[in-house]
Amino acid sequence: MWQPLSWQIEFPVSFWIKQAVLFTLLVAIFYLNYYYWFPNFLAKNRYLRFILFNIVSVVMLAVVIEQVKVAVNHGEQMDRAFKLAREANGDKKRHDRLDYFSLMTALMIIGLSTSVAAVRTAQLDKQYRQNLEKEKINSELSFLKAQINPHFFFNTLNNIYALTVIDVEAAREALHKLSRMMRYVLYETQHGTVLLSQEIAFAQDYIQLMQLRLTDKVTVHLDPPNPLHDVSIAPMLFLPFIENAFKHGVSAVQPSRIDIQIRQEGPKIFVEVKNTLFTDKRAILDESNGIGLANTQRRLDLLYPGKYQLEVNENKEGKEFEVHLELETA
């Protein structure tokens, strides 16, 4: 398409007119293929139409270029330029009787346009799939996070109501704890992450409110990290294990205990929940109330893929149920 300027030929105006028209047509073919032919035909597996349109475009380019050359008398002007060059610098042969180079360039432009469009489409599809997956994960996490046992709130309100008859000050304190927990669930957890200290404070409030309905035969102990180094974690991670311990590990007539230990080692958090195992109760996380083990594992898979270990052990001989969670926060 572009004859070497080192030929020391003084190109006529017709040459530059032809080149300008050719450049404009190539640009038009590039963007037509990029924005219309590729997305409407090749991307939709309409291969025949895509090939047909590109062949037509190349043929039309050749026809238009020939018409331009005739209109501006390009052949005679180039013959004259080469004749003058031969006289001045020796033999120079002209090779543009049939403009094969322009046709090859047009095909290269179509190939380049198709490649760029294919890469762009692949990137857009990848981004679209990532956005869909992100929306799906966010929706699923919101659903899982919202599955807090509503019975807890209703039972706690009933206990507080009964407590108002016995100890008004204790009832006021319990109501304050409940409102603080509700505020945490409704507002603090919406940010996606919370501080470890907030999650532990929520667990402490939960335990203290649950103890309103327990007898003296139940011993509950929570051992937080000491010293505590605040890190960001997903909210409501510990509640399913603690809730399960209260639901299935206490008895109104037999001595029972719940031991909860949370410790830190560098970027890792270790959570251990042990509770008494009664043979007349299901010692598994109930799927009908609360978050449940399956949903908890699903949430951990989404939030901490490859960064957690969860073990659930049921020791019938020792009458003990244990949950061990190792979580890497970094």
Side-chain angles (χ1 to χ4, degrees):
M1 178 179 70
W2 313 108
Q3 285 84 348
L5 297 180
S6 61
W7 285 1
Q8 298 179 358
I9 297 174
E10 186 177 348
F11 293 106
V13 175
S14 64
F15 170 81
W16 300 111
I17 293 175
K18 188 202 78 167
Q19 299 299 87
V21 173
L22 180 59
F23 178 78
T24 302
L25 291 175
L26 290 175
V27 171
I29 290 174
F30 180 93
Y31 285 107
L32 273 174
N33 185 63
Y34 183 83
Y35 286 111
Y36 186 74
W37 294 334
F38 180 88
N40 288 282
F41 301 117
L42 186 60
K44 295 181 180 179
N45 299 326
R46 299 175 182 175
Y47 304 111
L48 186 59
R49 290 190 181 184
F50 176 77
I51 295 173
L52 180 62
F53 273 104
N54 278 288
I55 291 176
V56 170
S57 69
V58 173
V59 173
M60 289 298 296
L61 179 140
V63 172
V64 171
I65 290 299
E66 290 302 318
Q67 292 297 320
V68 170
K69 289 165 69 175
V70 171
V72 298
N73 199 19
H74 177 68
E76 292 184 9
Q77 293 189 35
M78 287 298 294
D79 285 339
R80 190 180 302 114
F82 272 84
K83 182 178 180 181
L84 294 175
R86 284 196 300 270
E87 293 174 356
N89 305 306
D91 186 37
K92 295 286 183 183
K93 294 183 178 180
R94 184 178 166 214
H95 300 283
D96 68 338
R97 293 296 180 185
L98 186 59
D99 208 342
Y100 291 112
F101 195 72
S102 297
L103 297 179
M104 292 300 298
T105 304
L107 293 175
M108 290 175 60
I109 290 295
I110 291 173
L112 177 63
S113 175
T114 301
S115 299
V116 174
V119 171
R120 176 177 176 269
T121 301
Q123 290 176 339
L124 292 176
D125 288 344
K126 181 180 179 181
Q127 185 65 39
Y128 179 72
R129 289 193 298 269
Q130 288 177 343
N131 290 338
L132 281 181
E133 184 65 20
K134 185 177 180 181
E135 290 178 5
K136 178 183 176 182
I137 289 175
N138 289 337
S139 176
E140 187 168 8
L141 288 176
S142 297
F143 174 74
L144 294 176
K145 189 172 61 177
Q147 292 187 67
I148 302 169
N149 192 345
H151 298 290
F152 163 74
F153 292 106
F154 290 118
N155 290 335
T156 301
L157 285 173
N158 289 332
N159 292 332
I160 293 175
Y161 177 76
L163 192 60
T164 56
V165 180
I166 305 171
D167 190 338
V168 176
E169 186 60 31
R172 185 182 294 112
E173 180 65 23
L175 191 60
H176 176 69
K177 285 185 174 62
L178 182 62
S179 65
R180 187 165 57 194
M181 291 181 63
M182 295 180 68
R183 189 182 304 111
Y184 177 80
V185 172
L186 294 175
Y187 300 109
E188 298 297 333
T189 62
Q190 301 306 313
H191 301 299
T193 60
V194 296
L195 295 177
L196 177 61
S197 58
Q198 292 178 298
E199 189 75 357
I200 292 176
F202 177 83
Q204 290 172 331
D205 286 342
Y206 177 86
I207 291 170
Q208 291 176 10
L209 290 178
M210 287 296 294
Q211 286 178 313
L212 294 177
R213 50 192 295 197
L214 300 178
T215 66
D216 295 336
K217 294 183 176 294
V218 181
T219 303
V220 182
H221 179 68
L222 171 62
D223 184 17
N226 187 21
L228 189 150
H229 303 286
D230 251 337
V231 293
S232 295
I233 62 172
M236 314 297 291
L237 282 181
F238 306 154
L239 179 64
F241 312 120
I242 300 174
E243 183 183 32
N244 178 74
F246 278 102
K247 186 175 181 63
H248 302 291
V250 298
S251 171
V253 294
Q254 301 181 49
S256 51
R257 75 182 192 284
I258 298 175
D259 292 321
I260 305 166
Q261 184 181 46
I262 304 172
R263 56 188 177 87
Q264 292 177 281
E265 290 182 8
K268 291 185 177 181
I269 298 175
F270 298 86
V271 181
E272 183 179 88
V273 180
K274 297 180 180 180
N275 59 268
T276 311
L277 178 64
F278 294 100
T279 55
D280 59 336
K281 290 195 174 187
R282 294 178 61 199
I284 60 173
L285 288 175
D286 195 338
E287 299 298 335
S288 61
N289 292 312
I291 295 179
L293 179 58
N295 284 350
T296 302
Q297 288 180 319
R298 174 60 177 159
R299 191 176 179 214
L300 287 168
D301 286 337
L302 292 172
L303 292 171
Y304 298 97
K307 293 186 176 181
Y308 83 94
Q309 291 183 3
L310 178 62
E311 295 182 8
V312 178
N313 300 317
E314 182 178 340
N315 185 357
K316 292 184 178 180
E317 294 182 359
K319 294 185 177 181
E320 189 172 65
F321 187 73
E322 300 180 5
V323 175
H324 300 272
L325 172 66
E326 178 182 331
L327 187 67
E328 185 174 346
T329 59

